Amino acid sequence: MHSHIAGVSGKARGVGYALKLDQRAHALESEVDTITWTFDPLVRRNAFFNFHKLGGMSSQYLVNYYGSMLDDINGTDESDRLLLEWNLASPGVIRRCDATPGTSTPATADHNSVAALTVGRAGQPVVADTSAATLLVGVPEDIENLRHVDPGLGREWRTAVREVLAGALSRGGRVEGFEPQTGSYIVTRGK
């Protein structure tokens, strides 16, 4: 099943999560075990929701997937996307979706994780060359606002995330989670 343009308008808390739980229940009743969708890898709140709250995984970075969109959200930026895989019966998804609220154990970075992309003092992307097995790939706090106030810096972020994240995934890596404290994807390298 592929979810397309499912979202919540406004700041209603918990509605998006409830929508996804309902979608999951419907899919499982229909004997569908995986749902996929794409999202902009630069949007931190979506990364948090998709990986940390729902337990999704990703191994595909799609460069300029929708082409130029020229709207209020994307500005003049390219439309790179991560393809999220939500394996509905996986242990991580079950822990997050079937557990009592507040008892799930989302993936977090361990002490062996190395920051491959961080936010610099001036808000710029800072890339570090590393051969670590687990990478932390940071994203800006609010790319949508950044695209409006400093489109050039927004494009720098697109390029840096594409270089680091797409590079790791193209060599067999996988996004395993999202670290909310650092605003970073947790990426395991391919073998």
Side-chain angles (χ1 to χ4, degrees):
M1 178 180 284
H2 183 83
S3 173
H4 193 67
I5 309 180
V8 178
S9 177
K11 301 287 183 186
R13 296 192 51 85
V15 175
Y17 185 66
L19 176 67
K20 283 306 199 192
L21 291 182
D22 186 66
Q23 187 180 45
R24 177 177 178 258
H26 173 73
L28 289 171
E29 287 171 8
S30 301
E31 298 183 7
V32 172
D33 61 1
T34 303
I35 301 174
T36 63
W37 62 90
T38 61
F39 74 98
D40 185 340
L42 291 175
V43 180
R44 187 184 283 196
R45 71 180 183 282
N46 288 344
F48 172 82
F49 181 76
N50 291 329
F51 293 102
H52 193 76
K53 294 234 0 153
L54 295 178
M57 301 290 171
S58 181
S59 58
Q60 291 187 53
Y61 189 101
L62 307 167
V63 175
N64 203 21
Y65 189 62
Y66 294 107
S68 183
M69 296 171 77
L70 302 176
D71 59 25
D72 288 340
I73 294 172
N74 297 285
T76 59
D77 198 6
E78 293 185 334
S79 60
D80 290 13
R81 296 294 183 260
L82 274 177
L83 178 65
L84 190 88
E85 305 158 29
W86 197 29
N87 298 311
L88 305 178
S90 73
V93 172
I94 291 169
R95 275 195 312 276
R96 287 170 181 85
C97 296
D98 293 348
T100 304
T103 63
S104 66
T105 54
T108 56
D110 64 27
H111 66 281
N112 295 319
S113 302
V114 175
L117 180 59
T118 57
V119 180
R121 288 186 179 179
Q124 81 282 12
V126 177
V127 177
D129 190 26
T130 177
S131 60
T134 304
L135 307 175
L136 296 175
V137 179
V139 293
E141 187 171 339
D142 185 352
I143 188 63
E144 292 164 318
N145 183 56
L146 186 59
R147 286 177 181 138
H148 291 289
V149 299
D150 192 342
L153 185 54
R155 283 188 294 278
E156 282 183 50
W157 270 104
R158 172 70 66 209
T159 300
V161 169
R162 182 186 289 170
E163 174 188 325
V164 176
L165 188 55
L169 298 184
S170 71
R171 293 184 294 278
R174 186 169 178 88
V175 178
E176 301 284 347
F178 189 80
E179 179 68 51
Q181 291 79 13
T182 62
S184 302
Y185 291 100
I186 303 166
V187 182
T188 56
R189 286 194 190 261
K191 305 292 184 221

